[in-house]
Amino acid sequence: MTQRRQILAAAIAALFVPVHTPLSAKSGSKLAVLLAKDYTSGIDVSKYWVSEKLDGVRAFWDGSALRFRSGQAIAAPAWFVAKLPPMALDGELWLARGQFDTLSGIARKRVALDAEWRGVSYQVFELPNARGTFDRRSADLKSIVTTVGWQQLQWVAQFRVESEAALQAKLIEVVKAGGEGLVLHEAASSYVTGRSASLLKLKPVSDMDATVVSHVEGKGKYAGQMGALMLRSEDGISFKLGTGFTDEQRKNPPSVGSVVSFSYRDVTPSGKPRFASFLRVRSLP
């Protein structure tokens, strides 16, 4: 074992206790992970670390396999996973701003192409299983990434802001540069799973994920094609999504069981999104 690996092994032993795992015991079943709520005005932002919201593919490393949030294994090259440390990591596979569709195509291939993966980085922001607050977990994660010393494994930089005005100014800066938005992580929070106020997302337009339940046949110009998707949200709310699709997507719609992302402005009293518009497929069934 190299000296670097010995240092890493010692760091792992000091950081972790067997109190929680985000991974299901059954391979391929959905993972229990930390999910963000929408940011709302009036929160004391000085209590949060802030980072750029990367438009990548969420990926979880359990120490031996890289997985989508659905639990399905990602067919990453052997040389890529061999560089990852023997501990649980949470992060995003990423190419660059505005490159989600290209990245998604790379990550979802059943047989990885080495040349494509040379440009993919694993941007990590959380240490599932780790002791302490996010303050400590983030610092420990940065130390681990530094110890590994591999260019394609990156710690997502965290910074602080002192006011909501400063937060909004940073959002404008990131979006103008081609970024998607910001993420706020409560500094004093312990690691939890599920949708939690300890993790917040801030974007110019709100978005949400939902599962495709069925296809609604189109009418008029869309006769014989998909007119809308019937979706079910994580809260169990069912609704139709009929806008934002290209002609090609209507001919070949996201399959039943897929998870799709869509933008919206607000929600009805019953919880259904208003002015919803399709963005992309997030994961396949």
Side-chain angles (χ1 to χ4, degrees):
M1 182 182 288
T2 65
Q3 183 179 14
R4 175 172 289 179
R5 298 294 288 182
Q6 289 175 334
I7 293 172
L8 187 57
I12 294 169
L15 290 174
F16 292 88
V17 289
V19 296
H20 172 74
T21 175
L23 302 176
S24 167
K26 182 179 179 182
S27 177
S29 57
K30 196 170 184 178
L31 309 183
V33 297
L34 176 59
L35 300 172
K37 289 189 172 183
D38 287 329
Y39 172 85
T40 56
S41 182
I43 292 171
D44 184 355
V45 297
S46 67
K47 295 182 179 180
Y48 290 79
W49 285 99
V50 183
S51 62
E52 180 175 341
K53 187 179 187 304
L54 300 177
D55 190 17
V57 171
R58 189 88 175 261
F60 303 87
W61 171 248
D62 64 7
S64 59
L66 196 62
R67 300 185 185 279
F68 296 111
R69 181 182 157 195
S70 66
Q72 292 182 339
I74 298 172
W79 58 263
F80 190 97
V81 298
K83 293 284 190 177
L84 300 178
M87 63 179 67
L89 301 174
D90 187 358
E92 300 252 346
L93 296 174
W94 197 64
L95 277 177
R97 289 167 170 166
Q99 294 296 308
F100 174 83
D101 289 340
T102 300
L103 173 65
S104 181
I106 293 171
R108 300 187 193 287
K109 287 180 179 175
R110 293 186 179 182
V111 178
L113 297 180
D114 281 3
E116 293 180 339
W117 278 84
R118 297 294 178 188
V120 176
S121 63
Y122 187 26
Q123 303 279 337
V124 291
F125 47 69
E126 184 57 276
L127 271 177
N129 281 11
R131 293 184 176 97
T133 63
F134 183 71
D135 265 333
R136 175 175 175 179
R137 297 196 308 277
S138 184
D140 289 339
L141 181 57
K142 182 179 181 181
S143 178
I144 290 167
V145 169
T146 300
T147 302
V148 171
W150 179 45
Q151 186 177 3
Q152 286 175 257
L153 178 65
Q154 295 288 326
W155 172 74
V156 175
Q158 305 287 332
F159 57 91
R160 303 297 280 264
V161 294
E162 295 301 320
S163 67
E164 185 167 1
L167 180 69
Q168 294 294 338
K170 186 64 178 179
L171 175 65
I172 293 171
E173 175 187 328
V174 167
V175 171
K176 281 186 176 180
E180 189 178 40
L182 299 174
V183 174
L184 291 80
H185 207 139
E186 189 176 15
S189 63
S190 299
Y191 183 78
V192 296
T193 60
R195 204 163 293 282
S196 171
S198 66
L199 187 68
L200 305 172
K201 58 183 179 180
L202 174 61
K203 298 175 64 176
V205 178
S206 297
D207 64 25
M208 185 187 301
D209 292 347
T211 301
V212 178
V213 176
S214 63
H215 300 149
V216 179
E217 186 173 350
K219 298 179 181 180
K221 65 179 291 187
Y222 298 129
Q225 303 177 41
M226 182 271 293
L229 297 177
M230 181 61 70
L231 302 180
R232 183 175 59 248
S233 71
E234 293 177 348
D235 297 329
I237 297 171
S238 296
F239 57 95
K240 290 181 182 179
L241 178 67
T243 61
F245 302 100
T246 65
D247 288 344
E248 181 59 31
Q249 287 165 340
R250 291 189 183 277
K251 293 175 183 176
N252 298 285
S255 55
V256 172
S258 298
V259 176
V260 301
S261 296
F262 59 91
S263 62
Y264 67 100
R265 295 187 188 176
D266 57 11
V267 296
T268 67
S270 63
K272 295 183 179 181
R274 295 181 189 271
F275 308 107
S277 181
F278 176 79
L279 292 174
R280 60 178 65 95
V281 176
R282 266 299 179 190
S283 65
L284 300 175

